[in-house]
Amino acid sequence: MEQKKKLRCPMGVPGGIIAAIIGLVGIIVNSIDFCWISLLTSIALFLIAAPFVRVTMMIHTANDRLDELERKMKEKS
């Protein structure tokens, strides 16, 4: 049976980093242009990036643990 490798870089991490960078750039650009609605959107995107990364990493960690438990259960039986 083929062993699955644990995920070293869950897909939420690059997505969250990109969201944080886009939000930060948006905050800087929109504060210079005084575009308030876009500035609020950029701030929201920047603030949502970190929880997005954390939740995605927790999900992938839980999936890795479940895979390990399933493997141990199959070995016992």
Side-chain angles (χ1 to χ4, degrees):
M1 186 172 160
E2 184 181 322
Q3 282 283 34
K4 287 199 308 193
K5 282 187 169 180
K6 291 186 177 181
L7 296 171
R8 293 193 176 152
C9 181
M11 289 309 295
V13 174
I17 292 171
I18 291 170
I21 291 171
I22 291 172
L24 189 59
V25 169
I27 290 169
I28 293 168
V29 169
N30 291 315
S31 63
I32 292 171
D33 290 340
F34 299 109
C35 184
W36 299 110
I37 294 175
S38 296
L39 178 64
L40 292 175
T41 305
S42 297
I43 291 171
L45 182 63
F46 182 73
L47 292 176
I48 253 179
F52 179 72
V53 170
R54 181 67 183 139
V55 166
T56 308
M57 288 178 66
M58 285 180 6
I59 290 170
H60 284 290
T61 302
N63 284 336
D64 288 341
R65 288 179 183 173
L66 284 174
D67 289 342
E68 186 69 24
L69 287 173
E70 287 175 356
R71 185 185 61 78
K72 286 182 181 179
M73 292 294 285
K74 285 180 182 177
E75 287 177 0
K76 284 186 177 181
S77 59

